[in-house]
Amino acid sequence: MQIESFYEIELKALLKKEQYEKLSELLQKEYTKINDDVIHSTRYRPGDIRLRYSNRIFELVHKSGDPTCIFRKETKMSFDNKEDLDKMKDMFDELSLQTDPPWIKHKQEFEIELDGSKYTICLQDIKDFSYILEVEYLSDDENYILHERNIRSIFKKLKVEPIDPKDFNDRISRYIVANRKWL
C-alpha cells in the first residue's frame, strides 16, 4: 500500500459532444498521451472520500474543501488489487457513510510543459453526466498563483472557458438526485 499527499490545482470546463470530439483529435495530435482509462468512482460523505478503480488503479482518495475550488489538498492511498479496495468499501458500508451515485468516466490524459512545469490535460466522458476538460497541476506546496495563470493560459489556447463553480456544483447535485436509483 502506498500513500501520497499533494496539492491539486485545477480548472474544469463543460463541453458539448462536438467540442469533446474536436479536442480529442487535437490533443492526440499535439500533446503526449500519458493515459487512457475507464475509471469507476464512488464518493462518500461527509467530506469528499472516493473509492476508484480501473484496470490499472485501485485507490482511496480524500480531497479537502469544495470540489469546485481551484486549489485543494489531496491524499491518495493505493491498493494492490480490487479485493483490497472492496474490503475498504465494506468497511465504509458498515460505517453507514452517505454515498453518491457511482460515476463511470472515460479519461484520456495528455501532458503539456509550460514555464518548466508539467501540466495534465484530462479529457473526460462521464457516463450520464457530461463531457469535461480539466487541466491540473500537482504540487508539493500551497503556492498556486503561477500554476493558476498557466492553467488559464492552456484553457485559452484550447479555446474553452472554465465553468463557474456554482454552476458545476448545481450540475453535480442534479446528477446525484437523478441517479439515486443506482444506490
Side-chain angles (χ1 to χ4, degrees):
M1 185 174 345
Q2 179 183 353
I3 298 175
E4 57 184 312
S5 192
F6 49 86
Y7 294 95
E8 178 182 57
I9 304 150
E10 71 179 4
L11 283 175
K12 294 175 175 60
L14 289 180
L15 306 172
K16 292 184 165 76
K17 185 175 184 178
E18 302 78 33
Q19 287 176 293
Y20 173 86
E21 290 169 351
K22 285 180 184 177
L23 281 169
S24 184
E25 285 181 34
L26 173 80
L27 293 171
Q28 291 188 54
K29 288 178 187 174
E30 296 194 19
Y31 301 99
T32 303
K33 189 177 219 177
I34 56 175
N35 187 31
D36 190 339
D37 212 353
V38 175
I39 301 170
H40 299 255
S41 299
T42 302
R43 184 170 79 170
Y44 295 85
R45 298 187 210 203
D48 187 347
I49 301 169
R50 302 171 191 193
L51 292 178
R52 301 194 292 211
Y53 71 92
S54 72
N55 63 348
R56 63 175 194 83
I57 61 161
F58 310 96
E59 59 190 13
L60 178 147
V61 177
H62 174 258
K63 296 187 178 207
S64 62
D66 182 341
T68 60
C69 184
I70 189 168
F71 175 76
R72 299 194 320 158
K73 186 165 185 180
E74 185 171 312
T75 303
K76 281 186 189 181
M77 179 187 305
S78 298
F79 297 93
D80 293 329
N81 54 53
K82 177 97 168 41
E83 292 76 26
D84 289 345
L85 185 77
D86 288 342
K87 289 175 187 172
M88 183 63 70
K89 180 191 176 312
D90 292 343
M91 186 176 77
F92 285 176
D93 291 344
E94 285 183 32
L95 293 171
S96 300
L97 295 176
Q98 179 185 350
T99 60
D100 288 346
W103 299 82
I104 300 173
K105 80 174 141 188
H106 176 219
K107 183 177 184 179
Q108 300 175 69
E109 294 179 310
F110 303 86
E111 189 174 77
I112 180 174
E113 191 167 322
L114 190 59
D115 291 339
S117 295
K118 291 183 180 180
Y119 297 85
T120 304
I121 301 171
C122 306
L123 194 58
Q124 303 173 27
D125 174 358
I126 302 174
K127 184 179 177 185
D128 299 325
F129 181 66
S130 190
Y131 300 98
I132 295 176
L133 176 81
E134 186 178 274
V135 179
E136 67 182 10
Y137 179 78
L138 304 181
S139 175
D140 292 332
D141 62 54
E142 297 182 39
N143 185 3
Y144 68 92
I145 303 301
L146 166 71
H147 301 296
E148 179 180 1
R149 187 176 66 238
N150 285 345
I151 290 170
R152 290 187 185 281
S153 151
I154 295 167
F155 265 68
K156 194 172 193 172
K157 182 176 182 177
L158 296 174
K159 299 179 181 159
V160 293
E161 290 292 323
I163 186 166
D164 175 84
K166 183 184 179 317
D167 290 344
F168 194 63
N169 268 335
D170 289 346
R171 280 184 172 263
I172 292 170
S173 295
R174 287 193 306 269
Y175 173 85
I176 290 168
V177 168
N179 291 282
R180 285 262 177 234
K181 63 185 175 246
W182 301 115
L183 294 177

